């Protein structure tokens, strides 16, 4: 359960034994039932969930048998088929895919070379919605900005016709909060550079590792901006280019960044339910996303999130039919703009929602819980915090905000609980080829399942109104 | 100085301050001179070397201003020019390149894709001297062997016409000893597979990391074997392919591994000297190699080795003219078969050599010293061990053996001392795109310079014969 830092899981840890759950369940039943309005005691659910095999098997299966699954592609369609089959096999009800259409950006070749003064290749990856070069690529002189703030204030004349390079120094944080600030180089940098007349933009990867694995990610062009080629250098390559720039000589690059845009491609959400006994009490949504970026196998982003949500729902179901329906939402197209979340809200936004939760920050341990519940739910908040405390999860003081897959629900006022995951090493891997199964720690994954299971169980079974009726 | 494990050097550590050496040198001169037959006390040399800036500057300069420098290519020629200029600027004497010609294998495209049952790309790198596919690539069914021992005993009929995949489970060791055993999959695997009729071979990278960075490396075809395409999958990709194989369905791959062989390309050694006062006493060779693999910038393999050897020789020279000439040998073409070492021996093998040393195992701290000195040199051995002990270097019990760049000298009976470097994280990086400057720890690099400087100083100045005359 300890923070594993940069240590990867040794392969022997990945050989999950199939542990019979009977002994643990029996122990749970022998515990005295307290004042909790739940058919199964939190301790029993927690103990069983800490031996869960479903989340690992889901993660291993999706990343192995489907692998990369970019939104709107045939690989994502295979992921939907795979998830529907797996969720049916696990015993969920009302399992179905809910399709929609979306535009899709497709990566081609990503190549960069310093032509002068020190000829050598650089490793990079185009950002989502990047403009495309021709197959022959483009050449240009590099103009360097240590931060996006430097780019913002630079005169257009210093940029016109050149390749912009923006660096920065993102470091790891447990809560992932630095992603917001440093991520601006990816999200806004390309539009700023294009407006100022740059022919391309390279950014230092929004990442905290030191490997030759660039971090891609989506960016949206501001209104009226003509797209230019936009890519992220791996951190060592960005440091190398900064050193080369530091020699004071003009630096010329050759870039080949080919890609294409497709219209109206099929994507979709996958939904599966544990039906509740009281339809009027509203549904509890447990969300994750099924799509991934194209260069890794989307293990921590977000196969684990889907494994955690599905496994936790099943752990609750073992205790009997919950009062409220638990609906697992495996959203499509989270990575490229949230089409899945919008499609879900369009189809289901008028239904009563008691709670929304989302797992989309890897699979390292949950360390903090944040709430946004209706007034008068303080006792429920305390029961959840007490049930999470033995897992090493402390109650925070911030208001919960959810994530992209439940954003329209949260905006509409649906209550939300955030089980905050340890993000210390998340941005070592995020959106890179390195997002693979070996980075998942099965022990911490189970702690996530346990935290989710006790939380879902308490909310799904509470007599509190959750603001409904 | 502690073992840094997988922690990479924070960039702030890389801002080396230019520390005046005067204070440290003065302190050294005030120490009483003991019984050591050296003009400068080991403690003074050690203290000055622990503030060395030359090794870092050499490493930073070579990896930035030249970058990758495969043997026999124009990049290696640039590295020779760069090194000659730098060694002259540092004040060495008799600086020159000594050219020779060699055959050169040149990488083309490295692409692999699982066609069925679970379509997805795999990351791999062709091994040195790999056969080439056509531009369109080849298709074949995979046959899996958990170890090279399994491949060796497999009947030819099970392999003919197929793509062999050999896995294994190399783990890190401080002395790097596991490279010998596990490396057989790379060195002998391709010839064994080709003899049995395979159309290609993939091995799990000979590496201890879990990143999508394959480990290339040389392999030589056994006599009479027709080359086949041969490549290393990154460790996560090898684990993925093993999992896919484990599903029990036939697995088909598409491989595109293009490459070419060139004859008689120019390579060369670079030599630089600190001339000694007694030409009859023989030269002390301080060796490293200037070439690197093509996908990283050759920081730990072996820019640091050359930085250490050069910096240590200069630290000795600060104390005055040594008795013996110290000759820095920056060999060409180590990675691809030792052409540089053979060329050196051909040109200089008949000269008197008092000692040979080599640095080619990264830049993490020296932790053990091994000796192979003539009989009667026990007092010198003890003086060296005593001088190294304050640096945390213990004397070992194994006989020193040198490395590839000095192998012909060692074979001819030249005395040798090995300053063993900590290899715990070496095979995380070795022969990968990840072998870049950010992996070098400047603090441990200086400890290397100090260990080398005290050792070179004692041998270069000792009145012991070193077996000469």
């Amino acid at each position: 359960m300890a923070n594993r830092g940069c240590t990867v899981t040794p392969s022997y840890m990945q050989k999950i034994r199939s542990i019979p759950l009977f002994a643990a369940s029996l122990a749970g039943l022998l515990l005295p039932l307290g004042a909790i309005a739940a058919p199964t005691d939190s301790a029993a659910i927690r103990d069983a969930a800490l031996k869960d095999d479903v989340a690992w098997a889901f993660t291993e299966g999706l990343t192995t048998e489907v692998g990369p699954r970019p939104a709107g592609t045939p690989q994502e369609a295979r992921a939907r088929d795979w998830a529907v089959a797996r969720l049916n096999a696990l015993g969920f009800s009302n399992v179905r895919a809910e399709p929609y259409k979306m535009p899709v950006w497709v990566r081609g070749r990503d190549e960069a070379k310093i032509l002068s003064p020190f000829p050598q290749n650089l490793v990079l990856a185009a950002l989502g919605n990047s403009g495309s070069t021709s197959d022959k690529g483009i050449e240009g002189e590099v103009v360097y900005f240590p931060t996006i703030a430097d780019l913002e204030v630079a005169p257009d004349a210093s940029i016109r016709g050149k390749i912009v390079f923006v660096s920065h120094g993102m470091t790891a944080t447990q809560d992932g909060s630095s992603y917001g600030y440093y991520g601006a180089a990816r999200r806004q940098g390309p539009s700023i550079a294009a407006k100022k007349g740059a022919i391309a933009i390279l950014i230092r990867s929004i990442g905290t590792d030191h490997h030759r694995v660039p971090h891609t990610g989506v960016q949206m062009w501001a209104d009226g901006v003509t797209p230019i080629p936009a890519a992220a250098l791996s951190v060592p390559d960005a440091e190398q280019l900064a050193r080369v720039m530091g020699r004071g000589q003009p630096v010329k690059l050759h870039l080949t960044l080919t890609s294409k845009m497709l219209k109206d491609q099929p994507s979709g959400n996958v939904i599966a339910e544990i039906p509740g006994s009281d339809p009027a009490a509203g549904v509890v949504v447990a969300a994750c996303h099924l799509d991934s970026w194209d260069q890794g196998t989307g293990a921590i982003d977000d196969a684990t999130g889907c494994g955690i949500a599905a496994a936790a729902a099943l752990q609750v179901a073992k205790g009997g039919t919950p009062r409220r329906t638990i609906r697992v939402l495996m959203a499509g197209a989270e990575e490229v703009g949230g089409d899945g979340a919008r499609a879900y809200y369009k189809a289901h936004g008028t239904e009563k929602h008691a709670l929304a939760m989302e797992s989309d920050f890897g699979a390292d341990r949950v360390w903090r819980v944040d709430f946004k519940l209706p007034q008068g739910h303080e006792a429920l908040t305390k029961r959840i915090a007490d049930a999470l405390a033995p897992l090493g999860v402390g109650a925070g003081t911030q208001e919960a905000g959810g994530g992209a897959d439940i954003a329209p629900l949260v905006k509409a006022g649906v209550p939300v609980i955030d089980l905050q995951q340890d993000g210390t090493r998340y941005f070592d891997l995020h959106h890179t080829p390195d997002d693979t199964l070996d980075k998942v720690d099965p022990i911490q994954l189970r702690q996530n399942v346990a935290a989710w299971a006790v939380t879902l169980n308490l909310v799904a079974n509470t007599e509190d109104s959750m603001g409904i009726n």
Side-chain angles (χ1 to χ4, degrees), chain A residues 7 14 34 72 108 149 186 191 207 212 224 287 316 344 467:
Chain A
T7 305
Q14 294 168 11
R186 187 189 88 210
S191 288
R212 301 289 289 284
V316 174
Y344 176 83

Side-chain angles (χ1 to χ4, degrees), chain A residues 155-345:
Chain A
D156 294 8
S158 67
I159 288 172
R160 198 168 295 124
K162 294 189 175 162
I163 297 171
V164 161
F165 166 41
V166 181
S167 191
H168 56 77
M170 182 180 178
T171 52
T173 54
Q174 189 176 20
D175 67 0
S177 53
S178 58
Y179 185 46
Y181 182 81
Y182 290 106
R186 187 189 88 210
R187 290 185 292 262
Q188 282 88 50
S191 288
I192 297 169
K195 277 184 195 167
K196 288 175 183 276
I199 59 169
I201 177 171
L202 304 179
I203 63 164
R204 174 173 160 139
S205 280
I206 311 301
T208 52
D209 64 297
H210 272 81
H211 299 288
R212 301 289 289 284
V213 287
H215 297 238
T216 188
V218 79
Q219 56 83 39
M220 303 292 183
W221 298 103
D223 289 343
V225 167
T226 302
I228 57 175
L233 292 160
S234 87
V235 171
D237 288 271
E239 292 182 349
Q240 179 81 332
L241 184 54
R243 276 191 296 271
V244 170
M245 296 296 298
R247 297 304 204 255
Q249 300 175 53
V251 175
K252 279 190 75 176
L253 288 190
H254 186 275
L255 294 179
T256 310
L257 294 166
T258 63
S259 58
K260 60 184 175 184
M261 290 295 307
L262 305 174
K263 291 181 184 169
D264 293 331
Q265 299 299 299
S267 181
N269 298 321
V270 171
I271 285 175
E273 293 177 345
I274 307 293
S277 59
D278 182 357
V283 302
V284 174
V285 169
C288 62
H289 67 86
L290 203 52
D291 65 311
S292 78
W293 273 101
D294 54 343
Q295 298 188 306
T297 61
I300 64 152
D301 189 13
D302 183 28
T304 48
C306 290
I308 290 164
L314 290 172
Q315 294 287 351
V316 174
K318 279 188 202 163
T321 300
R323 181 182 171 217
R324 294 186 166 89
T325 294
I326 300 174
R327 180 181 290 165
V328 176
L329 164 60
M330 301 190 171
E334 187 275 342
E335 293 294 3
V336 290
D339 302 69
R342 287 191 295 276
Y344 176 83
Y345 191 73

Side-chain angles (χ1 to χ4, degrees), chain A residues 357-379:
Chain A
M357 291 175 60
E358 177 171 337
S359 180
D360 185 17
F361 200 49
D364 282 352
R365 73 181 182 91
V366 176
W367 63 286
R368 198 181 79 199
V369 55
D370 296 324
F371 298 91
K372 187 181 174 190
L373 300 186
Q375 279 196 324
H377 285 61
E378 291 73 18

